Amino acid sequence: MSQTHAIGLSPPWDGSTTLNVAARCWLLVTILGQWAFLAYLLGFYGRTFVTGNPQEWNLNHLLPRGFVAADPHWDLYFGAHVMLAAVIAFGGTLQLIPQIRARAIAFHRWNGRVFMLTALGGSLTGLWMVWMRGADLGGGSTLGPLSVSVDALLIIAFAAVAWSRVRQGHIESHRRWALRLFMVANGVWFLRLGVFGWYVLSGGVGMTTSGTGPMNYFFDFADCLLPLAVLELYLRARDGGDFSGRIAAAATVLASTAYMAVGMVALTLVQLSLVSKL
C-alpha cells in the first residue's frame, strides 16, 4: 500500500476522470448534433412527405441525386433511406444514455433491436442506390461507392456480432460492439461533420464541387473509419491504459469533439436555410 493510501489521502491521479469528462463531452455534442440532424430530416423531408411535394428534395443541391419524377422506385428507396436515418438519429442516441440503460432496460433492449434493424435497412438501401441505381458519390470514380460498401459491410458485421454477444450473455462485449455499430451506422452524419468542419477551418482545401478532390476521398472513407479509430483508442485507454495513455486518449476525444462541434454548427446553419425554403 502506498504511503498516501496509508494515511487516508486520495489515490494518485491516473487520468480516468479526465478521460470520463472527455467522453461525456463527446456524448453531449453527439446527442445535440444527432437531434439537430433529426429535426432537419423531419422538418425538410418529413414536411415534403406530409404535403406531397417530394420534388422539393431537389432544393438540397448537396444530394448526388434527389427526386426523379420518372423514377418512382428511386424516389421510394431514397425516401425510405432518409426515414431510416431519422430513426437511427433518434433511437441510436437513446442507446448511449446510461440512465436509460440503467432504469429502463426493457426499452433499451427493444430500442436496440429497432436500431440494429434500421441500421441494416439503411446499409442495404445505400448499397442498392450506389451499385444498382448508380448514385454518383465520387465524381464518376468507384471510390465513392466503394466507401459506401465498406461502411455497409461494417454495419452488417458489427450488428451481427453485437446481437450474438448479447444473446450469449456477454453484456460488456455487446456494449463495445454496439458502440462500434453506432459509429459506422452514423457514417453519413460523420461525413457531413467532417466536410463542413473542414470547409470552416481550411476553406475547403483539397476539395472540389464534383467530389473528386483528395480530401473528398479522404472523408468518404474517414466517415466511419476515423470515428472507429477514436473509439478504439478510448476503449483501450479506459479498460487497460496507463496515465499517459488515458491522457492521450482524452486529448484525442476532446479534439475530435471540438472538430465535430465546428462541423455541427456549420451543418445546422445550412440545414436551417433549407428548411426555411419550404
Side-chain angles (χ1 to χ4, degrees):
M1 181 181 294
S2 69
Q3 185 176 5
T4 55
H5 286 173
I7 62 177
L9 297 179
S10 299
W13 177 44
D14 63 359
S16 296
T17 300
T18 304
L19 185 60
N20 289 336
V21 170
R24 291 180 182 181
C25 289
W26 178 89
L27 178 60
L28 177 60
V29 169
T30 298
I31 291 174
L32 292 175
Q34 285 274 283
W35 288 1
F37 185 50
L38 171 65
Y40 157 69
L41 293 175
L42 296 178
F44 185 75
Y45 295 101
R47 187 182 300 182
T48 62
F49 288 140
V50 172
T51 59
N53 294 304
Q55 70 277 2
E56 292 181 332
W57 297 347
N58 295 333
L59 292 173
N60 184 0
H61 300 298
L62 298 177
L63 290 175
R65 183 188 300 178
F67 175 77
V68 182
D71 193 348
H73 290 99
W74 166 266
D75 298 331
L76 176 63
Y77 271 85
F78 179 79
H81 188 73
V82 170
M83 289 300 100
L84 290 172
V87 175
I88 289 173
F90 180 69
T93 51
L94 293 181
Q95 291 300 97
L96 298 177
I97 300 175
Q99 290 82 358
I100 293 178
R101 186 169 63 245
R103 301 174 185 175
I105 188 62
F107 172 81
H108 175 78
R109 288 168 178 166
W110 280 105
N111 187 57
R113 295 184 180 105
V114 172
F115 173 72
M116 284 187 183
L117 290 174
T118 303
L120 289 172
S123 67
L124 295 176
T125 55
L127 287 172
W128 180 86
M129 287 190 292
V130 298
W131 289 112
M132 302 301 294
R133 302 310 303 268
D136 187 4
L137 301 179
S141 168
T142 58
L143 288 179
L146 180 61
S147 68
V148 172
S149 301
V150 170
D151 194 12
L153 293 176
L154 288 175
I155 290 172
I156 295 169
F158 291 173
V161 177
W163 175 254
S164 68
R165 291 293 189 270
V166 76
R167 295 288 294 174
Q168 296 164 4
H170 302 315
I171 302 303
E172 185 56 37
S173 177
H174 159 73
R175 289 175 180 172
R176 296 171 72 99
W177 285 101
L179 282 171
R180 294 175 179 125
L181 175 60
F182 178 86
M183 295 300 182
V184 296
N186 285 286
V188 172
W189 182 66
F190 284 121
L191 172 64
R192 287 183 168 91
L193 296 189
V195 169
F196 278 87
W198 186 250
Y199 268 110
V200 170
L201 297 175
S202 76
V205 172
M207 304 191 75
T208 65
T209 55
S210 62
T212 57
M215 292 305 296
N216 292 106
Y217 293 132
F218 169 79
F219 284 115
D220 282 344
F221 289 92
D223 62 350
C224 63
L225 298 181
L226 194 55
L228 271 182
V230 175
L231 173 63
E232 291 302 319
L233 179 64
Y234 163 75
L235 291 174
R236 291 175 183 273
R238 183 197 67 180
D239 296 341
D242 55 13
F243 171 78
S244 60
R246 289 182 180 130
I247 295 301
T252 302
V253 172
L254 287 173
S256 301
T257 302
Y259 187 95
M260 286 172 55
V262 172
M264 184 181 77
V265 171
L267 175 61
T268 301
L269 291 175
V270 172
Q271 291 170 346
L272 287 173
S273 69
L274 284 173
V275 172
S276 68
K277 293 178 181 180
L278 295 181

